[in-house]
Amino acid sequence: MTAPGTQPATSEPLRLRPPRHRVSPRAITWWTTQAALEVAAVLAPLAVAIVVWTEARPWLIPITVVVVVIGLGYLLVMPRWRFRVHRWETTDDAVYTSAGWINQEWRVAPMSRIQTVDTERGPLQQLFGLATVTVTTASAAGALRLAGLDHVVADDLVEQLTETTQATPGDAT
Amino acid sequence: MTAPREPGWQRLDPRMLAVTPLRQLVGFLPFIVVVLVIGIGQDLGGRLYGLLTGVLIVLLAGMLRWFTTRFRITSDRVELRSGLLFRSARSVPRDRIRSVDVTAGLAHRLFRLSVVKIGTGERTDSGESRELTLDAISSVEADRVRQRLLDPADAAQVESSGVTVAPAANELAALKWSWLRFAPLTTSSLVALGAVAGTFGQLISDVGADAVDVGGVRERLTTAPLWLGLAVLAMLVLMVALVGSVLIFVESWWGFRLVREPGGTLRIRRGLLTTRSVSLEERRLRGIAVVEPPLLRVGRGARTVAVATGLGGRRGHGRGILLPPAPRSEAHRVSGAVLCEYPSPTAAALLRHPPVALRRRVVRATLPVLAGSVGLWVAPVPAWTGWAALGLLPVTVLLAVDAYRNLGHALTSRYLVTRYGAGARSTVALQRSGVIGWTVSQSLFQRWAGLVTVTASTAAGHGGYPVIDVPVADGLAIAERAVPGLLVPFLQHDAVVAARTH
């Protein structure tokens, strides 16, 4: 994999190290609640159908059992897995995040290219004292989202990022 | 805004007083005809008066627009005011102007007028592009406005006396009529088919004929052999597609020229009936793409598309097109000429991606088809449907192999080049200095295969261009070498970690 004009590949395999900070541990509760609501949204119509539609019970009940098993698995695995993956870090020059669980994603945006920094707190996040910070650049391909931060940490981060980016001239394109 | 040298407010060209009613009347023509034709034998007089007042009101409204619209160009902004009851005032700072397009339809050209669209490339949430439109001023004035707005020196310097003679522009590409052979290979052939089918259907429903039995076609159809009917239909469709696409090509690309103007502007001029002029500032250019849609690729043709900021997102996608469908070699040559890179980075020798990427593609092409076939065999449907689904397998596998063969990337001194696509193929050369971030993504299956997809974020074009399915270490090395320093603080060598722990 060496091309003319590029350095020879190093012998040690290169990899991304995880960002320094974890999100708030309360994010596990938040993600679990969200997952529970999603699973409930699927289960509720099934339960109603089982009660109302008696002749369909022979095949509705097995389906419901499968949904319950998958849903419980999702409920238990997803939030913990996410908590291990979701991390963030800022340096003087860049914001670095990792997110996902089955499919994972690492994003880096230089400070000089940041356009806006937003905070967002849904009702569930407010309940658990959490916030999501969204860092957008001029790219249309999507922003960096730091979901499930402690809301105090989030406020400090937004303040710090806003100060840094305001000090940078140019339209960040 | 009150600087003394600034010219005052200007009106649109007075010839608009004639053009607007003309265009509106032409627009009304079908409606008028319908009212008159259907109105025969009934209360003709009443209808006529109603119609006349309606037309009159619209004409007056059109004229009112001229009387109420004023614009002015100052050293730091362009302003437009219009409306009587609903006044609107738009003001665009000069340094926010991303594009100045000049178009002229038939009616406008008859009176030597042009429409100037001043774009800021803003992406509003509603998807509406915030453009400022001068409809219309004289073509000479339009060209002067265009040059003034795109000349970065103009905002600073004092208004020059009279028309400055522009230095000679450098021609990068011009239409060759042999490119007409690519016309049927573009989607314009489908557009032509759709237009003809639509008109035909409209005609039939208007005439009120039974669409299934025009002129005893049904009788003839039942007597003639089926294959003959199908052959005739196929010939018809082919003819329409061929002729239609050629006509569309000629109308769109007549007199096409791509020039580099002094002051760093790329200008595309084209069009037979409606003339269009698109200007693109070179400092907005972040790279270039050579795009090969499937049919065009079969004919060894390609398009060249600019990757530039401020084209207005997805809606403005067509505005980046720098070249009509042309031979692939020409597309690469123009790419190089636009970027001032010889040879073009889009034609650079690319590194192949590892064979495990081929395996991933073949698996993705095979498993769904097999699952579908099995599903059809198990389901209470005839068994041949399962076999038919299985028949798709060679096609999907071929596409998978093609997708793998298309994968490639390279780093040149100034560009990151990546190529991808199944059937359709895109080769994108992105300025390394235009990369404003990285996204490294890894699905579960990629993790098992030790691969990642590294996407370079940019403010232009699609917003991100991926290098798909490269080994983890190679992908990170590409990102690090393309933009030195950005990724370094977040990288580690496995061996270093091992050494530290000892």
Side-chain angles (χ1 to χ4, degrees), chain B residues 93-104:
Chain B
R94 289 276 294 263
D95 58 0
R96 284 290 171 85
I97 293 173
R98 299 289 192 262
S99 63
V100 181
D101 295 351
V102 181
T103 52

Side-chain angles (χ1 to χ4, degrees), chain B residues 93-143:
Chain B
R94 289 276 294 263
D95 58 0
R96 284 290 171 85
I97 293 173
R98 299 289 192 262
S99 63
V100 181
D101 295 351
V102 181
T103 52
L106 266 182
H108 283 91
R109 288 183 64 192
L110 213 59
F111 289 86
R112 294 205 174 77
L113 296 175
S114 291
V115 181
V116 179
K117 276 193 189 133
I118 300 163
T120 56
E122 270 178 74
R123 292 168 191 180
T124 51
D125 289 337
S126 55
E128 165 216 23
S129 133
R130 287 178 53 78
E131 276 178 338
L132 205 146
T133 307
L134 305 179
D135 184 5
I137 53 181
S138 78
S139 296
V140 180
E141 176 71 12
D143 201 51

Side-chain angles (χ1 to χ4, degrees), chain B residues 52-65:
Chain B
L52 272 179
T53 37
V55 169
L56 216 63
I57 287 173
V58 173
L59 289 187
L60 277 176
M63 276 148 88
L64 200 65
R65 198 173 68 87

Side-chain angles (χ1 to χ4, degrees), chain B residues 119-365:
Chain B
T120 56
E122 270 178 74
R123 292 168 191 180
T124 51
D125 289 337
S126 55
E128 165 216 23
S129 133
R130 287 178 53 78
E131 276 178 338
L132 205 146
T133 307
L134 305 179
D135 184 5
I137 53 181
S138 78
S139 296
V140 180
E141 176 71 12
D143 201 51
R144 209 177 304 151
V145 166
R146 188 189 71 84
Q147 278 181 15
R148 235 192 111 185
L149 291 181
L150 289 176
D151 185 3
D154 179 82
Q157 81 193 12
V158 180
E159 182 82 5
S160 54
S161 56
V163 188
T164 47
V165 182
N170 179 14
E171 182 175 287
L172 303 180
L175 183 69
K176 289 193 182 66
W177 284 111
S178 62
W179 298 349
L180 205 57
R181 67 178 189 271
F182 294 112
L185 301 178
T186 60
T187 45
S188 61
S189 49
L190 291 181
V191 173
L193 270 182
V196 169
T199 319
F200 193 62
Q202 187 72 46
L203 217 65
I204 287 177
S205 68
D206 277 0
V207 176
D210 178 2
V212 193
D213 195 15
V214 182
V217 167
R218 183 185 283 161
E219 191 188 327
R220 270 179 241 171
L221 265 182
T222 44
T223 50
L226 182 67
W227 64 266
L228 192 66
L230 284 180
V232 167
L233 191 71
M235 282 299 289
L236 257 173
V237 164
L238 213 64
M239 287 298 293
V240 167
L242 210 68
V243 174
S245 62
V246 165
L247 287 180
I248 290 176
F249 186 98
V250 170
E251 205 288 315
S252 320
W253 295 104
W254 179 275
F256 161 78
R257 283 182 76 211
L258 169 66
V259 297
R260 170 177 285 121
E261 295 188 326
T265 308
L266 293 168
R267 186 185 189 192
I268 300 126
R269 303 181 70 169
R270 61 193 183 89
L272 178 63
L273 302 177
T274 298
T275 58
R276 311 159 180 93
S277 147
V278 175
S279 306
L280 199 84
E281 280 182 290
E282 272 180 280
R283 61 195 179 96
R284 306 268 167 223
L285 208 61
R286 294 292 178 273
I288 212 152
V290 172
V291 182
E292 299 163 83
L295 269 180
L296 207 54
R297 204 176 141 206
V298 170
R300 305 185 68 79
R303 285 169 181 279
T304 302
V305 182
V307 177
T309 63
L311 288 184
R314 299 218 177 277
R315 265 181 38 135
H317 186 65
R319 300 201 31 243
I321 293 176
L322 296 179
L323 194 69
R328 195 181 300 158
S329 57
E330 175 72 3
H332 285 302
R333 185 193 69 76
V334 172
S335 305
V338 166
L339 300 176
C340 298
E341 292 263 332
Y342 307 96
S344 170
T346 53
L350 301 184
L351 293 170
R352 278 289 183 79
H353 291 195
V356 66
L358 172 64
R359 193 192 72 201
R360 266 169 55 72
R361 271 156 190 78
V362 172
V363 168
R364 270 194 301 201

Side-chain angles (χ1 to χ4, degrees), chain A residues 14-15 102 104 106 139-140, chain B residues 123 440 442 447 463 493-494:
Chain A
L14 210 56
R15 64 186 186 88
I102 290 180
Q104 298 175 4
W106 296 262
S139 165
Chain B
R123 292 168 191 180
V440 178
Q442 193 174 48
R447 209 170 311 150
H493 295 288
D494 276 349

Side-chain angles (χ1 to χ4, degrees), chain B residues 28-99:
Chain B
F28 269 118
L29 222 55
F31 176 66
I32 295 172
V33 168
V34 165
V35 168
L36 288 184
V37 169
I38 297 174
I40 287 176
Q42 297 174 31
D43 177 20
L44 186 59
R47 273 168 195 277
L48 214 57
Y49 287 126
L51 196 69
L52 272 179
T53 37
V55 169
L56 216 63
I57 287 173
V58 173
L59 289 187
L60 277 176
M63 276 148 88
L64 200 65
R65 198 173 68 87
W66 182 82
F67 282 106
T68 54
T69 306
R70 279 177 176 76
F71 71 96
R72 73 170 178 180
I73 300 166
T74 70
S75 56
D76 57 7
R77 47 184 58 235
V78 179
E79 290 169 274
L80 176 72
R81 289 188 182 168
S82 61
L84 186 68
L85 292 178
F86 296 95
R87 292 244 171 110
S88 79
R90 303 278 307 276
S91 168
V92 175
R94 289 276 294 263
D95 58 0
R96 284 290 171 85
I97 293 173
R98 299 289 192 262
S99 63

Side-chain angles (χ1 to χ4, degrees), chain A residues 9-10 17 19 38 54 68 72-73 84 94 105 113 117 125 134 141 152 154 159-160:
Chain A
T10 41
R17 65 167 176 78
E38 283 164 28
T54 39
V68 166
L72 270 181
R84 287 181 49 187
E105 202 171 72
R113 309 290 196 171
V117 184
Q125 294 207 65
T134 309
V152 179
E159 199 173 317
Q160 179 212 333

